Amino acid sequence: MIGIIGAMAVEVEALKSKMQNASAKTVSNIEFTCGLLSGKEVVVAQCGIGKVFAAICAQTMILEFGIDTLINTGVAGTLTKELSVCDVAISCCTVQHDMDTSPIGDPVGLISGINVIKLPASEKLAKLAEESVREVGLNCKIGCIASGDQFIAAKEQKEKIISCFGAIACEMEGAAIGHVAYVNKVDYVVIRAISDSADGEAEMDYPTFVKKAAESSAKITLSLVSKL
Ligand code: ADE
């Protein structure tokens, strides 16, 4: 069973509309839609924005729906010149850029308890997602995706995340899903189409491109599911 999580409606609607034999169940105020996508059994959910909602959703998918593969689809701000608006970032790992116990001696980003900074994503899923991106004719890069409970829209914030983690894109859920996947030993990948520059420079980027980017990430996710 494959779990697919998007934070916003625009990130999951295209997938839900293509499902067959769909049935819905609400748990913890999140609606989970079970059914078939490309003949594969999936559960799709809109988790809401931020790391806590994403973690609730991912853990529920594992415990209630028995998923063994997690895909996070959506949009992100770019952290590299190699990714422009509508290009695609794919995770080799994720990091929680707002996790910081450095005043008590830890490296920035360390998740105490599991002692991990970068949460490894599935290499196999990342490679298949990369193939899917090439098939739809878009540019992509595999790298570290940084998540935190902040919309990044200032140069200093952006530079800090790049210099601390060498991340290629920033968003608000992927590493929470990565954290849940890590502790439950479930494979995961984050697929994010770029919606904005994450520096406030082109402030109109996000509202202009969020729909287009979210839909192309959903299209890549659909193609990836067909390969599993
Ligand atoms: N999602 C899309 N763009 C983002 C940004 N700049 N910061 C955080 N999350 C995002």
Side-chain angles (χ1 to χ4, degrees):
M1 180 83 135
I2 302 161
I4 303 172
I5 301 176
M8 302 180 291
V10 71
E11 293 170 326
V12 292
E13 283 314 330
L15 293 167
K16 282 184 13 183
S17 70
K18 290 187 175 63
M19 285 174 77
Q20 290 176 317
N21 304 343
S23 66
K25 181 180 178 185
T26 298
V27 182
S28 304
N29 209 35
I30 297 172
E31 185 183 79
F32 295 84
T33 306
C34 299
L36 297 174
L37 259 186
S38 301
K40 307 280 161 46
E41 267 199 277
V42 300
V43 53
V44 179
Q46 177 195 342
C47 66
I49 293 172
K51 301 207 313 288
V52 175
F53 280 138
I56 292 169
C57 186
Q59 188 65 56
T60 304
M61 282 190 168
I62 293 166
L63 293 180
E64 281 269 335
F65 299 94
I67 65 99
D68 52 23
T69 300
L70 264 173
I71 303 170
N72 176 213
T73 176
V75 299
T78 183
L79 299 179
T80 169
K81 288 190 170 56
E82 290 174 68
L83 292 176
S84 305
V85 165
C86 290
D87 290 343
V88 181
I90 297 169
S91 63
C92 63
C93 62
T94 56
V95 65
Q96 294 172 20
H97 67 74
D98 56 355
M99 178 62 90
D100 185 3
T101 50
S102 61
I104 54 169
D106 294 330
V108 176
L110 184 84
I111 304 171
S112 306
I114 56 172
N115 247 18
V116 170
I117 297 175
K118 292 185 172 174
L119 298 149
S122 158
E123 209 175 308
K124 177 184 157 212
L125 290 173
K127 289 231 164 76
L128 290 173
E130 186 181 31
E131 269 177 36
S132 294
V133 177
R134 306 274 179 234
E135 277 165 27
V136 301
L138 293 172
N139 175 44
C140 76
K141 185 172 170 63
I142 298 180
C144 180
I145 296 184
S147 313
D149 287 326
Q150 297 154 359
F151 191 97
I152 306 302
K155 259 205 166 69
E156 315 79 72
Q157 266 179 312
K158 177 174 173 170
E159 290 308 325
K160 194 171 161 216
I161 298 169
I162 296 169
S163 68
C164 279
F165 307 110
I168 61 167
C170 59
E171 37 83 310
M172 302 177 70
E173 296 83 21
I177 292 165
H179 191 160
V180 171
Y182 184 89
V183 298
N184 288 280
K185 299 185 172 58
V186 162
D187 284 342
Y188 85 101
V189 70
V190 179
I191 301 167
R192 296 280 182 155
I194 301 300
S195 56
D196 59 275
S197 59
D199 56 11
E201 286 283 294
E203 265 160 288
M204 287 315 289
D205 274 11
Y206 183 79
T208 308
F209 293 110
V210 64
K211 190 164 186 288
K212 189 167 181 237
E215 284 170 359
S216 69
S217 184
K219 199 166 164 186
I220 293 153
T221 300
L222 184 63
S223 160
L224 170 60
V225 167
S226 74
K227 297 180 198 297
L228 298 179

